[in-house]
């Protein structure tokens, strides 16, 4: 799993991440790569709005 992530989950359209260090999250880069939005819920919980392809992305991230 990617070094700064603790957990990866998803719902129908969102990638739900628990991160160790929110300062390493590059919101501009996520949007450049296709994210429709980024929500920082607190110091460790992040949601990236991806769309209906989110399951494929989450599965690929789990394999890393």
């Amino acid at each position: 799993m990617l070094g700064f992530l603790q957990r990866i989950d998803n719902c129908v359209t969102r990638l739900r991440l628990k991160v160790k260090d929110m300062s390493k999250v590059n919101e501009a880069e996520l949007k450049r790569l296709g994210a429709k939005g980024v929500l920082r819920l607190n110091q460790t919980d992040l949601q990236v709005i991806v769309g209906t392809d989110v399951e494929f992305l989450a599965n690929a991230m789990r394999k890393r």
Side-chain angles (χ1 to χ4, degrees):
M1 189 178 300
L2 301 174
F4 68 98
L5 294 176
Q6 293 179 311
R7 188 181 69 225
I8 299 172
D9 292 313
N10 67 280
C11 66
V12 176
T13 61
R14 294 182 184 198
L15 189 59
R16 297 178 178 189
L17 307 171
K18 177 143 320 252
V19 298
K20 295 178 187 176
D21 185 355
M22 192 65 78
S23 71
K24 295 190 178 193
V25 175
N26 185 333
E27 189 170 331
E29 183 67 7
L30 289 169
K31 288 181 177 179
R32 187 188 73 75
L33 292 170
K36 293 167 180 49
V38 178
L39 301 170
R40 296 171 190 249
L41 302 176
N42 55 43
Q43 300 226 346
T44 60
D45 293 310
L46 177 74
Q47 291 186 2
V48 181
I49 303 167
V50 176
T52 55
D53 289 333
V54 70
E55 185 176 355
F56 303 108
L57 176 60
N59 289 338
M61 290 176 70
R62 287 184 192 104
K63 291 179 184 177
R64 293 187 140 234

